[in-house]
Amino acid sequence: MLLGKLAQPVCSLRKLPLPGGCRLFWGWLNAVFNKVDYERIQAVGPDRAASEWLLRCGALVRYQGYQKWQQDYNGLPTGPLGKYKIEAINATDSCIMYRGFDYLDGLEHVTEIKLQKCIYIQDECLQRLSETKNLQKSLLQLKIISCGNVTDKGIIALHKLTNLEYLYLSDLPGIRKKETTVHILQQALPNLELELDLE
């Protein structure tokens, strides 16, 4: 009886029009994947918890001292707490979003991040990234490619990443004032190598 009552709402999902209903479902699921579990961060440490979040969302991580990218959630390395430190993040085609960015707070060894085709990355995400104290110290390379919700405002916010050495920007239609944005970044970060592939 109870199973029948539970099955009714699930069966009624099939009656939803596919485009809208499916989009809402995936949006909800992606938001669930990005929910920060602060108890988990305390239990396993910031690098392990962030690895779990990133892989759950479809991103890849590379650990300090390793060349291979970790892409399998079930194959996450085990070992002493704090042994594996995230050095690089490749978020290509991932569903990471602003609500999960608290996972980045405890990461002290991240030197490079690639955000490519991330539909949930927007200006607030880049601002949050640039305000993360540990990333202000450690991040050296950042690539932002084909993230349609990023505008000049988000790129200008990156000026707080004071140790950033290389920034690659490509296919960002939201950037409307390219020259002004580049000028502001170069003034704030004179040692920054800026590579642009923008229309």
Side-chain angles (χ1 to χ4, degrees):
M1 180 74 168
L2 180 61
L3 185 58
K5 290 195 182 280
L6 289 174
Q8 284 174 341
V10 173
C11 291
S12 67
L13 284 177
R14 281 188 247 149
K15 296 175 188 168
L16 289 173
L18 271 180
C22 193
R23 190 174 302 128
L24 288 173
F25 172 74
W26 288 112
W28 170 82
L29 187 60
N30 291 335
V32 169
F33 284 167
N34 279 276
K35 187 173 190 289
V36 179
D37 185 346
Y38 297 99
E39 290 178 10
R40 184 73 177 154
I41 294 171
Q42 288 294 322
V44 299
D47 288 274
R48 173 65 188 220
S51 295
E52 292 172 358
W53 164 61
L54 289 161
L55 269 60
R56 192 170 49 239
C57 291
L60 309 175
V61 296
R62 193 178 69 230
Y63 297 108
Q64 204 172 39
Y66 293 85
Q67 295 301 314
K68 183 178 175 247
W69 287 91
Q70 181 65 41
Q71 59 186 7
D72 180 12
Y73 183 91
N74 294 320
L76 277 169
T78 57
L81 195 63
K83 178 180 179 185
Y84 296 94
K85 303 291 186 186
I86 297 175
E87 182 177 55
I89 297 169
N90 181 344
T92 300
D93 289 318
S94 73
C95 68
I96 63 170
M97 61 179 64
Y98 182 86
R99 84 181 290 192
F101 273 46
D102 283 2
Y103 279 110
L104 300 175
D105 287 338
L107 303 181
E108 298 177 352
H109 305 281
V110 177
T111 60
E112 60 183 271
I113 296 177
K114 181 179 182 181
L115 303 171
Q116 182 172 356
K117 297 181 183 175
C118 300
I119 62 172
Y120 298 110
I121 293 296
Q122 53 197 11
D123 294 340
E124 292 78 13
C125 298
L126 298 182
Q127 187 169 348
R128 174 70 172 83
L129 189 81
S130 69
E131 291 172 351
T132 304
K133 297 293 183 198
N134 286 330
L135 292 179
Q136 288 176 350
K137 297 174 194 168
S138 70
L139 191 61
L140 303 176
Q141 295 183 29
L142 178 60
K143 296 177 182 177
I144 306 170
I145 306 160
S146 302
C147 296
N149 296 321
V150 171
T151 70
D152 300 273
K153 180 182 173 187
I155 300 303
I156 290 170
L158 299 174
H159 77 277
K160 295 179 184 174
L161 296 170
T162 53
N163 286 329
L164 195 63
E165 296 174 355
Y166 177 76
L167 177 62
Y168 178 72
L169 304 174
S170 176
D171 188 26
L172 300 172
I175 296 183
R176 306 260 191 246
K177 301 173 186 168
K178 182 172 69 171
E179 291 79 17
T180 306
T181 301
V182 166
H183 179 71
I184 292 170
L185 271 181
Q186 288 176 331
Q187 290 287 96
L189 303 169
N191 297 324
L192 177 66
E193 179 187 341
L194 187 57
E195 187 176 343
L196 304 173
D197 182 16
L198 302 171
E199 301 270 325

